Amino acid sequence: MRPSLIHFLFITAFYGLYGQNPLVVEDSLEQIQWVDAQYGQMSLEEKIGQLFMVSVSSGQDSRQTNQLKQLIKEHYLGGVIFLKGGPVRQVELSNEFQSVSKVPLLIGMDAEWGLAMRLDSTYAFPWNMTLGAITDNSIVEKIGRQIGKHAKRLGVHINFAPDMDINTNPKNPIIGNRSFGEDREVVTEKGIAFIKGMESEGVLSSGKHFPGHGDTALDSHHDLPVITFSRDRLDSLELYPYKKIIKKGLSSIMVAHLEVSALELREGLPSSLSEQIISGILKEQMGFEGLIFTDALNMKGASSFGEEGDVGLRAFLAGNDMLLMPKNLVKTKEKLLESYENGRITEQRLSHSVKKILMAKYKAGLNNYMPLETDGLFEELNSLENDLIYEEAIENAITVLKNRFDLLGIKNLQNKKIAYVKFGDASHNTFLETLNKYAKVTQINGSNINTLKNKLSDYNLVIIGHHKSNENPWKPYNFSNKELAWLQGVANERTSNLILCAFVKPYALSKISTFKNIDAVVMAYQNSDLAQQKTAELLFGAVPARGILPVTAHPEFPVGSGIRVKPLKRLGYSFPERVGLSSRRLALVDKLVQNGLDSLMFPGAQIVVARRGKVIYNKSFGKPTYKSNSKITGEHIYDLASLTKILSTLPMVMKMEEEGKIALNDTFEELVPDYSDTEIKNVTVLKALSHYGRLPAWIPFYIRTLNKDRKPSKEFYRTSPTPGFSTKVAENLYLTDAYRDSIYNRIGRQDLKSNRYRYSDVPYYVMKKYIEDTYNEPLDKLSKEFLYERIGADHSSYNPLGKFPKDNIVPSEEDKYYRYQTIQGYVHDMGAAMQGGVGGHAGLFGNANDVAKIMQMYLQEGYYGGTKFFDPRTVKKFNTCYFCDKNVRRGVGFDKPQLEKSGPTCGCVSRKSFGHSGFTGTYTWADPEEDIVYVFLSNRTYPTASNTLLVKSALRTRIQQAIYDSIIN
């Protein structure tokens, strides 16, 4: 029967429902009925048993498990707190323990930064101090929610988090990174956000360590820290977060083992045993009505204060509700029973705590307890969602403390020669790998400071990364004395700029005497892979700097320091869901590429997909050749074939058009006066680059240089460079220099074809000649200086053997018709080879990451990495289909989507999109409407160009379709 209104008013007054009791749920009447029913069925021993929470490790042996099960049955324990172990075993133990408990157990855990604080095979989120650097508290709320989701899936009902200590003591041995910082407002706001997130998943929160463990130099696990501050100081600082957070639904508070003379008159009495602190201040003065836990009673800060059993009794009499990890459970329980029987503990006092515990169990859903499943547990606890939240958090936390000369993000890459020096003893690989996605960064080592400085003298920008263990917040983090000396030694050499990146807690900076000659300082807080990746991205302007310093790190960098740095619109690296794509659907790309490999369409491939300025798919497949032992990596470079047109020649034409050196209505006669008497003289730049100029598709120049046996004729070739024969077309094969003029003469003798639309390489021979004649420089040098060096396309080059190891260059064919050798490091296209490897239509080598950078620049209307390469109007002018009404889909240089059913794309792209494909099995496409860049590189021509399976299968555009199908609507 439901209670009457009078009865309800009476019991609600008892339960404190009209106050600020955070344990009350919406269906409070049902909660009261359940609590009263449970309490009414309990014996005295069962009631007292509810006060205890004992520890268990999921890695323990069966003997220890059976002992704990016996304790639960015999002593009717209220809960258990899990320590170290693994998630599956913990779920299994939780089910075992619950099965023998008369009232469902309250399962607790210390998971301040996630389950990984205690368990293997689980996820570690950023530490609180890292979160303290974030200005957007909604991100902290997301972290709390995700940790709550994990805890709930594991059957944890209360997470002893967040840590609400204000860490004002840099030498604090136990709090440090567990604190949100030294600013009371920051700590309060972050704590409230964390609680809101975690409790939204049905997991109870616990603020700790009351009344404040942040300004101590001792660890209460081993000693009793003494706090001598005045009451005014405590009220204004240590207690401040609790006053605010109590009003926001904090379910419980954990009381620390501290000697606080301003709050407790008895000298040496720990706060966890102080009635004046717990009942007087926390309950009465601050009005807290939630659960109150002791910190672990087996810690030295409390366990040495009295005989076994007495500590737990004093803790309960002081006002605590649950006694955490008593040193001797049986003796403590005996003391409590004895005190109840002699009247020292009243029924009212006992019911007050036990009913609060039962209310907490109801709020945690234990009124409808169900055993936990282990199926899919690992996958659920380690989902991609974790990385997405971590990435967002670390992006917003990384803090720039100094940025002299606006050094960050790094611009003008063409002027930079960059070195990296590693400090610390932890991994740095992700940082260095990511740096090298933006520019060539060389790691420099030295046995002593003089050797190091001598090596660094060749560089004008030095990045020092200080990497220490990310395993837990208590690991050593300081610079060594040698590193401090080396840092100042490098800094004092003013021949280069110096950037210091610290992947540690901020206090490490306090050991540095001066930052006078350090140009930029970046605080990354942690040495996780994502922190390393995002710091590298920040250095190069792919992500902004938004963080603020949560503590004082150095007199030059007080709490709250932080310089905002705007991004430079360089490609970043992220996860598909971050930009509205589905990882699950995108996995079809892997299958499609694997089908291509299995069907022998190509030996290997690279694929990059970017959206909204972030690369979200960057994978390499297969091998350089079918017989190779090594695998394709992102460092391998491919012959890009006709992608050269839009990645080399077209940018130079666009530049010249902006400079007034060429116009779209210029004719070939105007570009090359020697063509004044030819049929092609009136072909315009616009028509030629739109493939509407009636020019031949290609001219097999090489055939006329073969002898009757179809081998290179001695008339035209030598096996080594000699005067007049310096044009290298392949290994040990040099063409006569005079043939260059023959190429252009033959172009001039061409007849125009009858059909208007014909894809042709010929215009790019003409463009190359005009570009080189205008600037009096070769095309490869011009494109390198104008585009590749400035945009950070460090893997892009003509004639790559002079720059890259041969093993990093993917072979394109076993040539059995012209050069009669493996074509590796030399351009596959015969016409480009006869121009010394530098063609306007072919000859460029590169990797997928570099191609994506250039396509992203086009997508951003000519802007990339702080550099304006083109005016937006220029990009639009060249990305326009001028002859669509003539059924010619092409733009000026760019290929465009098909006008009818079949064509160069999946048919799923926008009309504004553009790209190109290459003979060797390359393809790239950019779509401004969906903000997508797609790059596919392969060597489908190896071992023979007659292999057309890739083309016939339309694999490249089927992959494109899969990318578009992965868009989350």
Side-chain angles (χ1 to χ4, degrees):
M1 179 181 297
R2 296 176 68 85
S4 66
L5 177 60
I6 295 176
H7 182 217
F8 176 64
L9 292 174
F10 173 78
I11 59 177
T12 53
F14 174 80
Y15 283 98
L17 301 189
Y18 292 139
Q20 300 167 347
N21 196 324
L23 303 177
V24 177
V25 298
E26 290 184 3
D27 57 340
S28 54
L29 284 177
E30 287 80 0
Q31 183 183 31
I32 291 167
Q33 287 180 309
W34 186 83
V35 169
D36 283 346
Q38 296 297 321
Y39 191 81
Q41 296 170 10
M42 288 180 180
S43 66
L44 176 60
E45 279 204 38
E46 291 170 342
K47 293 173 184 176
I48 290 178
Q50 288 296 300
L51 305 177
F52 294 97
M53 180 175 276
V54 299
S55 64
V56 58
S57 294
S58 56
Q60 67 188 23
D61 58 32
S62 58
R63 179 184 59 82
Q64 293 171 305
T65 298
N66 290 331
Q67 286 177 345
L68 184 54
K69 286 167 69 175
Q70 196 63 31
L71 275 178
I72 293 169
K73 286 193 290 186
E74 289 183 3
H75 297 284
Y76 315 102
L77 302 184
V80 297
I81 176 172
F82 275 93
L83 304 180
K84 295 183 178 181
V88 173
R89 181 62 177 149
Q90 180 164 322
V91 164
E92 292 171 343
L93 283 180
S94 291
N95 288 339
E96 281 192 60
F97 296 151
Q98 294 286 19
S99 70
V100 298
S101 182
K102 184 176 179 181
V103 177
L105 295 162
L106 189 68
I107 306 294
M109 196 172 175
D110 273 322
E112 295 170 23
W113 57 88
L115 302 181
M117 181 174 176
R118 297 296 181 188
L119 305 180
D120 61 36
S121 309
T122 53
Y123 201 85
F125 290 93
W127 301 323
N128 278 2
M129 190 165 290
T130 308
L131 301 183
I134 299 171
T135 57
D136 182 355
N137 291 327
S138 68
I139 297 172
V140 181
E141 184 178 336
K142 289 180 187 179
I143 296 283
R145 184 179 298 115
Q146 194 70 359
I147 290 175
K149 185 183 295 184
H150 288 183
K152 187 172 184 178
R153 177 63 182 87
L154 202 65
V156 173
H157 310 114
I158 183 165
N159 180 12
F160 293 108
D163 190 308
M164 298 303 298
D165 296 312
I166 300 174
N167 202 88
T168 51
N169 188 340
K171 296 181 180 179
N172 195 318
I174 191 60
I175 305 302
N177 271 329
R178 299 166 67 193
S179 165
F180 290 116
E182 70 177 63
D183 183 283
R184 68 177 194 173
E185 299 295 343
V186 169
V187 171
T188 301
E189 291 168 5
K190 300 296 182 287
I192 290 171
F194 188 97
I195 289 166
K196 183 179 178 182
M198 188 167 67
E199 295 233 351
S200 70
E201 291 294 328
V203 174
L204 307 182
S205 56
S206 186
K208 62 185 185 185
H209 304 82
F210 185 86
H213 209 320
D215 196 351
T216 62
L218 294 176
D219 180 356
S220 54
H221 288 83
H222 309 297
D223 211 332
L224 181 64
V226 178
I227 295 178
T228 59
F229 306 122
S230 68
R231 177 63 189 265
D232 287 344
R233 148 73 191 250
L234 294 168
D235 279 336
S236 64
L237 194 66
E238 279 80 4
L239 295 176
Y240 180 85
Y242 292 98
K243 294 175 184 177
K244 299 289 184 179
I245 208 165
I246 284 171
K247 299 176 182 178
K248 297 294 183 178
L250 180 66
S251 294
S252 75
I253 284 176
M254 178 181 284
V255 183
H257 309 310
L258 305 167
E259 181 181 345
V260 190
S261 56
L263 304 181
E264 170 56 60
L265 297 178
R266 283 171 290 181
E267 185 176 346
L269 184 67
S271 49
S272 54
L273 310 184
S274 168
E275 183 178 4
Q276 189 170 338
I277 290 175
I278 298 169
S279 295
I281 296 173
L282 181 56
K283 289 184 175 181
E284 294 178 18
Q285 293 181 21
M286 300 176 70
F288 182 62
E289 297 180 351
L291 269 182
I292 301 175
F293 285 82
T294 66
D295 204 342
L297 292 175
N298 59 6
M299 292 163 60
K300 283 290 186 180
S303 62
S304 59
F305 199 86
E307 298 290 332
E308 287 190 349
D310 286 338
V311 173
L313 173 62
R314 296 194 67 158
F316 183 71
L317 292 173
N320 292 289
D321 298 307
M322 289 202 85
L323 310 178
L324 187 64
M325 299 166 61
K327 193 171 182 180
N328 189 318
L329 167 68
V330 175
K331 285 192 175 181
T332 303
K333 186 179 177 185
E334 289 174 355
K335 291 281 186 179
L336 289 166
L337 282 168
E338 180 184 334
S339 295
Y340 183 90
E341 289 168 355
N342 64 28
R344 192 176 179 188
I345 296 176
T346 66
E347 172 61 25
Q348 182 181 9
R349 171 68 188 90
L350 182 61
S351 66
H352 174 78
S353 288
V354 175
K355 287 189 175 183
K356 274 205 288 182
I357 294 166
L358 293 172
M359 288 173 71
K361 291 185 176 185
Y362 187 98
K363 185 179 179 182
L366 285 170
N367 57 311
N368 292 311
Y369 166 75
M370 295 289 290
L372 300 161
E373 296 289 337
T374 57
D375 290 347
L377 179 64
F378 177 83
E379 291 74 18
E380 291 180 57
L381 296 181
N382 293 279
S383 68
L384 176 62
E385 188 177 7
N386 301 333
D387 288 330
L388 292 170
I389 293 171
Y390 193 116
E391 180 183 66
E392 185 181 10
I394 205 71
E395 272 187 18
N396 281 270
I398 299 172
T399 307
V400 173
L401 297 174
K402 187 174 183 180
N403 190 24
R404 187 161 56 183
F405 315 124
D406 288 325
L407 186 57
L408 307 176
I410 301 169
K411 298 174 281 291
N412 301 318
L413 298 181
Q414 71 277 14
N415 300 325
K416 301 292 191 297
K417 189 174 182 185
I418 308 174
Y420 161 78
V421 178
K422 182 201 174 188
F423 283 4
D425 52 11
S427 172
H428 68 292
N429 295 336
T430 300
F431 185 52
L432 186 58
E433 287 170 7
T434 309
L435 290 174
N436 273 285
K437 289 179 179 178
Y438 293 98
K440 180 174 175 57
V441 178
T442 305
Q443 182 171 353
I444 300 298
N445 302 307
S447 57
N448 57 63
I449 184 59
N450 292 326
T451 302
L452 182 67
K453 288 195 295 184
N454 184 55
K455 290 181 178 180
L456 291 177
S457 64
D458 291 334
Y459 299 85
N460 58 16
L461 176 59
V462 177
I463 300 170
I464 293 179
H466 180 50
H467 304 267
K468 301 291 284 185
S469 174
N470 197 62
E471 186 179 342
N472 64 57
W474 305 288
K475 288 286 186 178
Y477 59 90
N478 277 320
F479 294 87
S480 68
N481 290 333
K482 183 181 82 171
E483 288 168 343
L484 291 172
W486 282 25
L487 176 62
Q488 294 303 329
V490 174
N492 291 336
E493 293 290 320
R494 300 312 298 154
T495 57
S496 62
N497 290 121
L498 177 59
I499 300 172
L500 173 64
C501 299
F503 298 91
V504 290
K505 69 171 71 172
Y507 297 128
L509 300 184
S510 66
K511 300 295 184 181
I512 298 172
S513 59
T514 177
F515 292 87
K516 179 181 178 182
N517 291 326
I518 302 174
D519 300 306
V521 180
V522 180
M523 174 51 59
Y525 300 98
Q526 301 193 222
N527 197 45
S528 63
D529 284 339
L530 275 172
Q532 291 185 43
Q533 176 187 317
K534 292 300 164 183
T535 302
E537 290 183 31
L538 184 147
L539 293 188
F540 284 97
V543 295
R546 302 190 185 100
I548 61 169
L549 201 58
V551 295
T552 295
H554 189 276
E556 294 185 40
F557 306 129
V559 62
S561 298
I563 300 170
R564 295 259 173 164
V565 179
K566 294 181 179 179
L568 300 176
K569 298 188 78 171
R570 279 201 180 100
L571 283 173
Y573 298 84
S574 188
F575 304 97
E577 281 73 9
R578 191 84 188 274
V579 294
L581 298 178
S582 165
S583 296
R584 180 180 59 81
R585 296 178 199 165
L586 206 56
L588 177 59
V589 174
D590 294 48
K591 293 182 180 179
L592 289 170
V593 179
Q594 190 59 50
N595 288 341
L597 291 170
D598 295 341
S599 302
L600 304 182
M601 295 181 191
F602 44 80
Q606 291 175 348
I607 298 179
V608 164
V609 180
R611 192 180 195 208
R612 298 174 188 167
K614 293 187 181 295
V615 173
I616 48 79
Y617 188 100
N618 188 0
K619 293 187 179 182
S620 300
F621 300 86
K623 302 176 180 180
T625 72
Y626 292 110
K627 296 181 179 180
S628 297
N629 293 321
S630 60
K631 294 181 179 180
I632 293 292
T633 70
E635 293 298 302
H636 280 93
I637 60 173
Y638 282 84
D639 182 336
L640 300 178
S642 284
L643 298 194
T644 302
K645 295 180 174 74
I646 66 169
L647 302 178
S648 175
T649 308
L650 190 64
M652 293 307 303
V653 173
M654 294 168 70
K655 175 178 182 288
M656 295 176 76
E657 199 273 343
E658 283 193 350
E659 294 172 348
K661 291 181 171 63
I662 197 171
L664 295 185
N665 59 359
D666 283 350
T667 64
F668 276 13
E669 179 182 18
E670 293 174 293
L671 302 184
V672 184
D674 289 346
Y675 291 160
S676 59
D677 294 327
T678 68
E679 191 171 331
I680 68 172
K681 67 178 181 179
N682 291 322
V683 176
T684 64
V685 173
L686 174 62
K687 287 185 177 182
L689 296 186
S690 299
H691 301 281
Y692 193 57
R694 299 168 58 194
L695 296 165
W698 75 299
I699 302 172
F701 299 105
Y702 77 100
I703 289 178
R704 294 189 180 182
T705 68
L706 304 180
N707 61 25
K708 63 180 181 180
D709 296 324
R710 301 188 66 82
K711 299 288 181 67
S713 169
K714 292 181 179 179
E715 177 186 355
F716 298 102
Y717 296 95
R718 299 287 185 272
T719 58
S720 61
T722 59
F725 289 83
S726 64
T727 304
K728 193 173 186 179
V729 298
E731 198 70 29
N732 301 320
L733 193 61
Y734 294 83
L735 176 66
T736 174
D737 298 336
Y739 204 84
R740 180 178 185 275
D741 292 336
S742 299
I743 289 174
Y744 287 104
N745 290 338
R746 189 171 175 188
I747 290 172
R749 296 196 301 270
Q750 297 300 305
D751 296 328
L752 295 180
K753 306 302 177 183
S754 57
N755 53 325
R756 292 282 184 178
Y757 172 61
R758 179 187 291 263
Y759 176 76
S760 175
D761 286 342
V762 173
Y764 288 89
Y765 285 85
V766 178
M767 293 301 113
K768 173 180 183 286
K769 177 175 175 55
Y770 181 68
I771 292 167
E772 293 184 337
D773 288 349
T774 300
Y775 290 108
N776 199 30
E777 293 279 7
L779 177 62
D780 55 341
K781 184 175 186 291
L782 290 167
S783 57
K784 174 186 175 184
E785 293 177 353
F786 171 64
L787 184 57
Y788 311 140
E789 288 183 338
R790 298 165 78 203
I791 208 169
D794 191 60
H795 290 76
S796 298
S797 175
Y798 286 91
N799 291 318
L801 284 172
K803 186 176 180 181
F804 302 98
K806 188 174 183 179
D807 287 345
N808 282 13
I809 306 169
V810 178
S812 55
E813 189 177 17
E814 295 292 339
D815 184 341
K816 297 180 180 180
Y817 52 87
Y818 173 33
R819 288 163 281 186
Y820 296 90
Q821 59 184 268
T822 300
I823 304 304
Q824 184 176 11
Y826 298 94
V827 60
H828 177 270
D829 182 270
M830 294 73 75
M834 297 174 76
Q835 295 180 310
V838 183
H841 65 294
L844 185 65
F845 286 71
N847 65 3
N849 196 54
D850 276 6
V851 175
K853 292 176 184 179
I854 299 172
M855 295 302 287
Q856 186 69 26
M857 179 271 291
Y858 287 136
L859 202 63
Q860 293 170 178
E861 300 182 313
Y863 181 88
Y864 189 90
T867 299
K868 182 181 177 182
F869 291 91
F870 305 111
D871 189 273
R873 290 175 295 180
T874 303
V875 177
K876 183 178 180 181
K877 181 184 294 185
F878 281 77
N879 185 31
T880 295
C881 176
Y882 291 92
F883 302 104
C884 279
D885 59 334
K886 308 295 185 183
N887 204 33
V888 177
R889 69 171 188 263
R890 302 272 179 169
V892 185
F894 296 111
D895 200 357
K896 299 286 288 178
Q898 56 264 40
L899 299 175
E900 297 178 350
K901 288 186 178 180
S902 62
T905 76
C906 57
C908 52
V909 298
S910 75
R911 287 301 311 161
K912 293 180 180 178
S913 68
F914 55 93
H916 217 286
S917 60
F919 183 80
T920 53
T922 58
Y923 182 90
T924 186
W925 210 266
D927 188 344
E929 286 195 3
E930 289 294 349
D931 206 353
I932 288 176
V933 167
Y934 162 45
V935 183
F936 178 100
L937 302 184
S938 76
N939 55 334
R940 70 98 190 159
T941 52
Y942 189 89
T944 171
S946 63
N947 177 11
T948 59
L949 292 173
L950 176 66
V951 179
K952 291 177 179 177
S953 71
L955 179 67
R956 290 172 289 187
T957 53
R958 285 161 57 206
I959 290 172
Q960 188 178 50
Q961 182 69 60
I963 294 166
Y964 277 72
D965 288 344
S966 73
I967 295 173
I968 301 169
N969 294 321

